[in-house]
Amino acid sequence: MRGLLEAALRHLDGADARAEAQILLAHVLGRPRSWLFAWPEHEPDAAQREVYAGLVEARARGEPIAYLTGRRDFWNLDLAIGPAVLIPRPETELLVELALARLPLDREVCVADLGTGSGAIALAIASERPQARVLATDASEAALEVARGNARRLGLGKLEFARGNWCEVLGGRRFDLIVSNPPYIASGDPHLAQGDLRFEPAAALASGKDGLDALRAIVAQAPEHLVERGWLLLEQGYDQAAAVRDLLAGSGFESIGSARDAAGHERVSFGRRPPVKV
């Protein structure tokens, strides 16, 4: 097995090449990665070797590990992932942390996750707040199928799914909290032609010339769908926090702020719908 891994490393580049070779081999063998270290003398059969070689070649072409294995860990969940959805990133867990800090454990609350993709955010919230009623929306039916499948496999209840753009699908409903990780990359950003982003759905990544189109739409529409003192939490690009705070202020939100991710970037901005004045 060591020889198989070493051969793979001759095709893979980057600091994570060894870990990626191990992840792919563990996937082919149907074992956890730790098993490779416990049984280094194991020799895969010819069929497994062929499948593994194909996966290594695909990774060498740049195809994301998550799409090749069909899996991605997020929060405390093992999610099924495919090319129809954005690959959940570790920094998005900050969005979940901030949402949970605003959601009580001891009563029913209503939450909407706009642009749910794989369902990562909605499912993480549902797993930590069993009394929450979570509505997960997406404009892509293919993405919703992935999210529904994850919800079924994880056995998480009190989730609804609806197809539509941002707040347009919410109808007359109001929520205690609305959360979203919308597309926020500028349409001409060269990063879209690099790395994993080349293989991810463009509609889940880019949003207008400055990357703020989706964020503008959500901030403008959200007040009509929040209860008094309800929260709106939004992930944004590393250099967009000030612009998103301005959008929130322009839509009448209060308690506006931003939170930094592990890399020190202002990754999530938030605001609260004020009470109606009488």
Side-chain angles (χ1 to χ4, degrees), residues 195-278:
D196 288 358
L197 299 186
R198 293 172 292 165
F199 297 88
E200 295 183 83
L205 293 168
S207 188
K209 291 183 178 180
D210 61 359
L212 293 170
D213 283 4
L215 287 158
R216 287 191 187 94
I218 294 168
V219 173
Q221 298 165 10
E224 295 301 314
H225 301 282
L226 285 167
V227 301
E228 292 184 30
R229 301 188 183 279
W231 285 98
L232 174 64
L233 282 74
L234 300 164
E235 182 170 327
Q236 81 261 316
Y238 73 96
D239 59 351
Q240 295 173 327
V244 175
R245 289 195 297 268
D246 287 344
L247 291 173
L248 290 164
S251 285
F253 284 89
E254 62 180 19
S255 303
I256 295 167
S258 299
R260 296 182 183 274
D261 61 19
H265 300 131
E266 289 185 309
R267 182 62 59 185
V268 175
S269 292
F270 48 81
R272 196 173 197 179
R273 185 193 171 198
V276 176
K277 295 180 180 180
V278 294

Side-chain angles (χ1 to χ4, degrees), residues 116-129:
T116 196
S118 65
I121 297 167
L123 295 168
I125 291 173
S127 72
E128 299 286 354
R129 295 292 183 270

Side-chain angles (χ1 to χ4, degrees), residues 71-84:
R71 281 293 196 271
R72 181 75 163 198
D73 289 335
F74 180 82
W75 198 251
N76 58 351
L77 308 174
D78 173 29
L79 298 175
I81 297 295

